[in-house]
Amino acid sequence: PDEYINVKVRLGPFTLDQKQRQRSSQRCRSQKELLQFFVEPGTLDGHVITFPGMASQLPAAVNGNLHLKIIQRPHDTFIRDNDDIHTTVSVTLRDALIGFEKHITHLGGYDIKLQHPGVLKPGTVARLPGEGMSKRRDSAENYTSSSAENDINQDYPLERGDLLVEYKILFPDSLDSTTRNFITEFFPS
């Protein structure tokens, strides 16, 4: 690529600095390079991975850094909140009154058993410790990919956040007279 140099131009009694484009004396090259990097489990949305000196090459300049920003895709069932995961599970009115056992599929692909033995009140949130996202091992805002992969001890299990399950009780849209009379008789005010 070309480069710009400052030259002095004389205009009558004045001397001005002006930028002039000229062919670069340095040999800059364009090349494709495959970069490999490791995204540590628990990496948050917006985290930046830096590759020092891997940005564009320009004449008479030091190569800049290449920054990759992690963008988290939304999930249909789970919402991430730092290291915790939130989800909502629907429960019928019958199950909310007498108890229930349900199974949900975790982000990791395994089944989690949810159970509540008695009456479930509206707005109940169950916390399942250790069923959330993996917690990152480093606390730095930015790190380079070359050091991050080497610093991880694969034999040491990751700490995890929690899974928070909010129960949504499904109420019927209407009641027939038989059901209404039954509820009135067995559930006095």
Side-chain angles (χ1 to χ4, degrees):
D2 294 340
E3 64 182 325
Y4 292 91
I5 60 168
N6 286 329
V7 294
K8 301 229 184 253
V9 177
R10 189 163 180 94
L11 287 172
F14 303 105
T15 304
L16 303 172
D17 281 340
Q18 186 177 18
K19 286 190 175 191
Q20 261 186 1
R21 187 174 172 175
Q22 74 175 26
R23 205 74 179 125
S24 174
S25 59
Q26 298 179 2
R27 296 282 184 212
C28 296
R29 63 185 191 277
S30 291
Q31 69 182 36
K32 290 183 181 181
E33 188 169 334
L34 178 64
L35 298 175
Q36 294 184 351
F37 58 95
F38 177 75
V39 178
E40 184 178 350
T43 300
L44 293 173
D45 187 39
H47 184 80
V48 176
I49 298 173
T50 302
F51 292 91
M54 296 303 293
S56 298
Q57 188 178 36
L58 296 172
V62 176
N63 292 358
N65 297 335
L66 175 65
H67 301 284
L68 295 179
K69 185 176 181 179
I70 302 299
I71 298 174
Q72 179 179 303
R73 284 190 317 217
H75 193 272
D76 294 336
T77 309
F78 298 97
I79 297 171
R80 182 175 184 177
D81 179 19
N82 291 321
D83 298 325
D84 294 334
I85 304 172
H86 297 258
T87 191
T88 302
V89 173
S90 297
V91 177
T92 64
L93 180 57
R94 176 189 175 275
D95 288 346
L97 292 172
I98 64 171
F100 63 89
E101 182 178 303
K102 285 181 167 270
H103 292 268
I104 62 170
T105 303
H106 190 274
L107 280 171
Y110 58 90
D111 257 13
I112 294 180
K113 182 167 87 172
L114 303 174
Q115 58 185 8
H116 193 82
V119 176
L120 179 72
K121 295 182 180 179
T124 299
V125 177
R127 180 179 290 271
L128 285 75
E131 292 294 346
M133 296 297 292
S134 300
K135 292 185 179 184
R136 284 184 46 113
R137 294 181 196 277
D138 68 330
S139 59
E141 277 299 309
N142 294 312
Y143 68 99
T144 59
S145 67
S146 58
S147 64
E149 189 172 8
N150 296 333
D151 290 344
I152 294 173
N153 179 353
Q154 298 295 337
D155 298 329
Y156 184 75
L158 291 172
E159 290 183 40
R160 300 177 75 89
D162 299 337
L163 172 62
L164 288 93
V165 180
E166 180 180 357
Y167 292 107
K168 178 182 172 188
I169 300 172
L170 302 174
F171 288 89
D173 292 331
S174 62
L175 297 175
D176 60 33
S177 61
T178 307
T179 306
R180 184 183 304 275
N181 291 337
F182 176 80
I183 290 174
T184 305
E185 183 180 335
F186 287 100
F187 294 98
S189 353

